Amino acid sequence: LQNNSSASQNTAIGSSALANHSYNPGFAWNSDNVAVGFQALYANHPTSVTNGCINTAVGSTALMSNTTGWANTAIGALALNANTTGEGNSATGVYALRFNTLGHNNVANGTSAMQYNTTAGQNETIESCGVESQCRTASHRKSDGQSFPCNLRDARDPPQDYRRRDVHFLSF
């Protein structure tokens, strides 16, 4: 909160946490951000009282690049690290939604869950890695209510296309 001048109800714990958070509309306002960890929410920089607020970042560089994104939750080192303006995302686990920049309303739980998603939204993922990071993920399309066989993939395969609304489940 080094550069904060008028926003209140923020919590910053850790070196450079919420370091660039500043916006002065000429009156006191509540931005309700929580940043815990080295450079958590480092670049957060609201441009109005309706953006760059209500974010929670716990972990080293969690939500580090966020500028005006709002209502995001990142728990784990590098979770939502590249997010800039994406909103309504929830990432739990190391590297979860790591490269998300503009994607919105995504839920990613587990180590490396949806880490290669950049702009797609409306996804839900539950993923985890076992020994030597060999992940297997089962996909079940739920958007149209039909059941489909699960497709297993190895973590070394190219990233999945997250433009559909899929739910992914862990399988070893």
Side-chain angles (χ1 to χ4, degrees):
L1 288 169
Q2 296 163 248
N3 298 318
N4 186 52
S5 60
S6 65
S8 62
Q9 295 184 201
N10 292 293
T11 302
I13 300 171
S15 178
S16 299
L18 264 172
N20 293 305
H21 184 76
S22 66
Y23 171 69
N24 189 349
F27 54 87
W29 66 290
N30 300 332
S31 57
D32 299 305
N33 288 298
V34 175
V36 178
F38 173 71
Q39 292 186 345
L41 273 167
Y42 175 82
N44 200 66
H45 188 77
T47 57
S48 77
V49 296
T50 60
N51 64 41
C53 56
I54 318 172
N55 292 299
T56 301
V58 178
S60 182
T61 68
L63 272 166
M64 182 181 85
S65 302
N66 193 72
T67 55
T68 59
W70 61 280
N72 292 297
T73 301
I75 300 173
L78 291 122
L80 275 166
N81 177 268
N83 193 76
T84 55
T85 60
E87 58 192 52
N89 294 297
S90 179
T92 306
V94 177
Y95 304 126
L97 278 167
R98 179 182 185 184
F99 297 111
N100 189 78
T101 55
L102 309 173
H104 61 280
N105 299 324
N106 292 300
V107 177
N109 292 308
T111 301
S112 301
M114 285 179 54
Q115 78 167 319
Y116 294 105
N117 184 69
T118 55
T119 60
Q122 308 293 329
N123 294 292
E124 299 169 357
T125 297
I126 300 170
E127 207 165 58
S128 184
C129 292
V131 179
E132 298 177 12
S133 296
Q134 296 198 11
C135 302
R136 289 257 185 227
T137 304
S139 298
H140 175 73
R141 183 156 179 151
K142 73 173 203 172
S143 61
D144 57 9
Q146 296 182 21
S147 296
F148 294 95
C150 294
N151 297 317
L152 296 180
R153 71 169 177 87
D154 191 89
R156 293 168 289 197
D157 291 345
Q160 286 186 258
D161 180 0
Y162 288 106
R163 286 177 271 189
R164 301 182 320 266
R165 183 167 175 82
D166 290 340
V167 177
H168 305 273
F169 298 97
L170 169 68
S171 175
F172 288 101

